[in-house]
């Protein structure tokens, strides 16, 4: 963690908050992560179904933010252990994953996505706006999936950089695209960028952004996603800190108290 004496953040109308979505804004433990486990189990002929801890271990490597690619990688690693080669096309893996996540109905009502609990609230974002904080989203989810949850939060026409719009994390281009769009929408320049995420890749995105565009002062906020068991939360928080988190919270809603939490951290 960065020492408080080395951080000089005065949060104001020149601050921008950018949020990851999965694990931060919505709980995906019973949707994306369930679809991932289903996919691995299906393509290993029910011989292997990854546990939540095994999925976390994979994502701790910092390069498997895309759950389609994570599914493929876990299938590949299992087959390698039994001396077999992966012959399944990537597109086939994606198609099966989506059949579970989105379901078969055109409105996705029978997909896992329809059961996702919301973590954030519409009031949360209204409070940020009242405080003069610009905000938006940079997510590895598809635009359709991310838009689905933002509509549930009654957020209309948000700044959203999704899977189709930029390179995957930890590449920082998507984060900076979101920042630029938020600046344009507010017709003012920012000096502070706060990125809120729940994975190693999210924290590394901020680390890389500091190098890619040093014109901003960056603050990496990690949140512990809902699926992490109580006895593992300290270890998960330590992992986020080891990979660049300046602050780790139990829930994104802890960031809403008029930013006092951040101000007390840096005072």
């Amino acid at each position: 963690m960065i020492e408080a004496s080395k951080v000089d953040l005065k949060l104001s109308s020149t601050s921008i908050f950018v949020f990851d979505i999965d694990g931060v804004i919505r709980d995906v433990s019973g949707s994306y992560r369930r679809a991932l486990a289903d996919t691995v189990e299906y393509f290993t002929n029910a011989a292997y179904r990854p546990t939540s801890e095994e999925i976390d271990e994979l994502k701790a490597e910092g390069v498997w933010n895309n759950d389609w690619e994570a599914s493929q990688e876990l299938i590949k690693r299992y087959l390698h252990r039994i001396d077999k080669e992966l012959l399944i096309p990537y597109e086939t893996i994606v198609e099966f994953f989506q059949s579970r996540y989105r379901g078969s109905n055109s409105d996705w009502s029978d997909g896992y996505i329809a059961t996702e609990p919301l973590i954030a609230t519409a009031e949360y974002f209204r409070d940020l706006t009242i405080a003069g904080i610009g905000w938006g989203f940079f997510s590895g989810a598809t635009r359709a999936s991310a838009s689905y949850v933002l509509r549930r939060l009654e957020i209309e026409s948000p700044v959203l950089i999704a899977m189709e719009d930029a390179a995957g994390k930890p590449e920082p281009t998507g984060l900076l695209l979101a920042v630029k769009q938020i600046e344009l929408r507010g017709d003012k320049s920012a000096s502070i960028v706060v990125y809120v995420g729940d994975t190693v890749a999210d924290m590394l995105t901020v680390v890389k952004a500091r190098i890619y565009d040093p014109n901003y002062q960056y603050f990496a906020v990690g949140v512990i996603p809902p699926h992490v068991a109580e006895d593992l939360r300290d270890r998960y928080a330590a992992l986020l800190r080891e990979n660049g988190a300046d602050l780790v919270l139990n829930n994104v809603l802890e960031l809403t108290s008029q930013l006092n939490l951040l101000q007390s951290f840096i005072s």
Side-chain angles (χ1 to χ4, degrees), residues 12-255:
S12 67
S13 60
T14 62
S15 305
I16 281 178
F17 277 26
V18 183
F19 298 89
D20 180 35
I21 292 179
D22 301 336
V24 176
I25 304 303
R26 62 180 170 188
D27 180 355
V28 296
S29 54
S31 55
Y32 266 123
R33 294 173 67 91
R34 182 182 175 189
L36 191 161
D38 285 358
T39 302
V40 174
E41 182 177 47
Y42 180 81
F43 287 109
T44 58
N45 295 317
Y48 171 54
R49 182 180 181 87
T51 64
S52 180
E53 291 75 19
E54 288 172 323
I55 294 171
D56 282 341
E57 288 173 5
L58 180 74
K59 288 185 175 288
E61 296 175 13
V63 294
W64 304 108
N65 192 66
N66 182 316
D67 284 337
W68 300 338
E69 294 176 355
S71 300
Q72 182 186 51
E73 181 63 18
L74 285 174
I75 296 166
K76 185 184 299 183
R77 292 185 186 188
Y78 171 78
L79 294 175
H80 179 74
R81 290 198 299 269
I82 61 172
D83 295 322
K84 289 188 176 181
E85 185 178 352
L86 178 62
L87 301 176
I88 307 159
Y90 178 68
E91 294 76 13
T92 302
I93 293 173
V94 171
E95 182 179 4
F96 180 85
F97 184 107
Q98 294 295 76
S99 73
R100 296 303 177 94
Y101 181 66
R102 293 184 176 182
S104 57
N105 294 339
S106 59
D107 62 356
W108 301 356
S109 58
D110 62 335
Y112 295 162
I113 188 173
T115 68
E116 292 172 338
L118 297 177
I119 301 171
T121 64
E123 290 77 15
Y124 173 86
F125 296 103
R126 283 199 288 268
D127 288 345
L128 286 183
T129 300
I130 292 170
I133 304 297
W135 51 270
F137 304 92
F138 169 42
S139 172
T142 64
R143 175 164 288 275
S145 173
S147 297
Y148 183 94
V149 69
L150 296 181
R151 284 194 298 272
R152 291 179 61 197
L153 285 166
E154 301 176 356
I155 298 174
E156 296 182 4
S157 303
V159 169
L160 169 63
I161 303 300
M163 177 192 291
E164 300 91 335
D165 305 316
K169 305 170 204 175
E171 289 302 309
T173 51
L175 171 60
L176 293 166
L177 278 172
V179 170
K180 298 299 184 186
Q181 290 188 20
I182 295 167
E183 285 181 320
L184 286 171
R185 186 166 293 190
D187 195 26
K188 58 187 175 183
S189 298
S191 59
I192 297 166
V193 172
V194 179
Y195 186 49
V196 187
D198 70 314
T199 67
V200 167
D202 291 324
M203 301 303 100
L204 293 177
T205 297
V206 178
V207 172
K208 289 176 176 288
R210 292 187 177 114
I211 300 169
Y212 192 89
D213 188 347
N215 293 313
Y216 301 99
Q217 190 168 12
Y218 297 90
F219 199 87
V221 176
V223 296
I224 302 175
H227 74 268
V228 178
E230 190 64 36
D231 60 337
L232 297 176
R233 295 180 80 82
D234 286 345
R235 189 172 75 180
Y236 197 96
L239 179 67
L240 294 178
R241 292 191 186 100
E242 288 166 8
N243 286 278
D246 299 309
L247 178 66
V248 178
L249 306 175
N250 287 307
N251 186 294
V252 68
L253 297 178
E254 294 180 10
L255 203 56

Side-chain angles (χ1 to χ4, degrees), residues 1-9 219 246 264-267:
M1 179 179 291
I2 294 178
E3 296 176 8
S5 61
K6 293 183 180 178
V7 181
D8 180 23
L9 293 179
F219 199 87
D246 299 309
S264 65
F265 173 77
I266 62 178
S267 61

